[in-house]
């Protein structure tokens, strides 16, 4: 039986385990990359087309269309398939567009931009890119209700909207032949991995700070429920 793909809940659990291991000083297990943001997009489109075709054929059969009608339906399905398969993909945002994005859209925009650059980045960076991907997913949920003008919002804009794409673009400007040559004891490839790891850790700390209020509220409600329904409950007998 094929295992189900990891969900957002699985990612959140994985991130929590990584943070716990990091605090303990243990080794960090790389997250498994899941298909997302355009990867597998053609397959998803085909699922939609197949569902639509099934509906159209069912309606045609129920209406008792003749041979000409069925041919017309088949032509319509073919046209739908061609339109869906060859529809232009959503363009990848530029670094300039990311910097100008609304806060609630910023993590997703940055993640799509980073995804598009994966093929140009060295293999040792893939593990931290997977972790960054999950961090940005989680942050995208958290910033939905965040004050656009607050200090935390400004910090996120600087880190995600400016420093992350700026750092990767600085690396991209280094000639490919020089990226594995040591300079001052380290190579540009190593510097990229180390810098992305710093950004990933900072995103984790930001997420923990954003979650602190919700965690406190949850604990307070738990204690309230305990007092109200357990400690005040009449004893049996």
């Amino acid at each position: 039986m094929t295992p189900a793909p990891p969900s957002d809940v699985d990612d959140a659990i994985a991130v929590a385990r990584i943070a716990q291991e990091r605090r303990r000083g243990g080794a960090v297990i790389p997250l498994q990359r899941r298909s997302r943001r355009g990867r597998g997009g053609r397959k998803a489109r085909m699922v939609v087309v197949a569902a639509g075709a099934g509906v159209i054929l069912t309606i045609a059969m129920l209406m008792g269309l003749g041979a000409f009608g069925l041919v017309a339906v088949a032509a319509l399905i073919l046209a739908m398939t061609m339109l869906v398969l060859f529809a232009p993909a959503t363009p990848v945002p530029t670094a300039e567009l990311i910097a100008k994005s609304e806060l609630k859209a910023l993590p997703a925009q940055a993640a799509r931009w980073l995804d598009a650059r994966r093929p140009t980045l060295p293999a040792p960076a893939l593990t931290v890119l997977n972790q960054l991907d999950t961090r940005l997913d989680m942050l995208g949920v958290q910033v939905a209700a965040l004050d656009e003008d607050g200090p935390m919002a400004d910090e996120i804009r600087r880190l995600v909207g400016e420093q992350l794409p700026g750092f990767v673009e600085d690396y991209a400007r280094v000639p490919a032949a020089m990226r594995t040559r040591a300079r001052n004891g380290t190579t540009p490839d190593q510097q990229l991995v180390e810098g992305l790891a710093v950004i990933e850790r900072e995103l984790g700390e930001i997420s923990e700070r954003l979650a602190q209020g919700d965690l406190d509220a949850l604990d307070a409600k738990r204690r309230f429920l305990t007092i109200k329904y357990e400690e005040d409950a009449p004893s049996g007998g």
Side-chain angles (χ1 to χ4, degrees):
M1 183 175 180
T2 303
S7 65
D8 290 339
V9 173
D10 296 326
D11 283 342
I13 293 172
V15 169
R17 287 175 177 169
I18 287 172
Q20 185 180 48
E21 285 298 318
R22 182 177 292 121
R23 286 192 295 270
R24 292 175 177 175
V28 175
I29 301 174
L31 291 177
Q32 182 179 3
R33 172 81 175 178
R34 74 181 188 279
S35 177
R36 51 158 303 138
R37 292 191 200 91
R39 287 190 174 88
R42 184 178 296 271
K43 182 178 179 181
R45 293 185 202 177
M46 285 304 299
V47 170
V48 174
V49 170
V55 172
I56 293 174
L57 284 174
T58 301
I59 293 174
M61 293 175 65
L62 290 175
M63 293 178 64
L65 297 179
F68 178 79
L70 291 176
V71 170
V73 169
L76 176 60
I77 293 173
L78 178 61
M80 287 174 52
T81 302
M82 298 297 289
L83 179 63
V84 172
L85 286 180
F86 294 100
T90 304
V92 176
T94 63
E96 292 75 16
L97 181 60
I98 294 172
K100 297 177 182 178
S101 297
E102 293 183 357
L103 182 65
K104 61 183 179 181
L106 181 59
Q109 293 277 54
R112 289 186 60 240
W113 181 89
L114 199 57
D115 267 353
R117 276 144 189 81
R118 273 178 172 261
T120 68
L121 301 180
L126 294 183
T127 296
V128 68
L129 286 173
N130 291 346
Q131 294 170 347
L132 269 171
D133 188 72
T134 302
R135 294 292 193 196
L136 289 168
D137 277 350
M138 181 176 292
L139 189 63
V141 176
Q142 292 179 301
V143 299
L146 190 63
D147 182 8
E148 288 265 354
D149 299 320
M152 185 68 76
D154 291 338
E155 184 177 350
I156 293 171
R157 284 194 184 94
R158 283 193 299 272
L159 182 62
V160 177
E162 299 174 12
Q163 293 169 351
L164 173 58
F167 178 64
V168 175
E169 287 189 334
D170 285 344
Y171 169 83
R173 283 191 287 269
V174 177
M178 300 177 62
R179 293 175 184 172
T180 56
R181 296 181 188 174
R183 180 174 180 270
N184 298 326
T186 183
T187 67
D189 281 0
Q190 292 170 332
Q191 292 170 1
L192 174 73
V193 174
E194 292 171 2
L196 290 176
V198 170
I199 294 174
E200 185 271 330
R201 287 194 295 271
E202 184 61 26
L203 285 176
E205 292 177 4
I206 289 175
S207 287
E208 288 184 2
R209 278 186 279 161
L210 289 174
Q212 193 60 50
D214 293 330
L215 293 171
D216 291 342
L218 180 64
D219 186 53
K221 289 178 181 177
R222 176 195 61 79
R223 286 187 279 110
F224 168 78
L225 292 171
T226 300
I227 293 172
K228 182 174 181 62
Y229 293 105
E230 292 186 3
E231 294 183 5
D232 290 347
S235 57

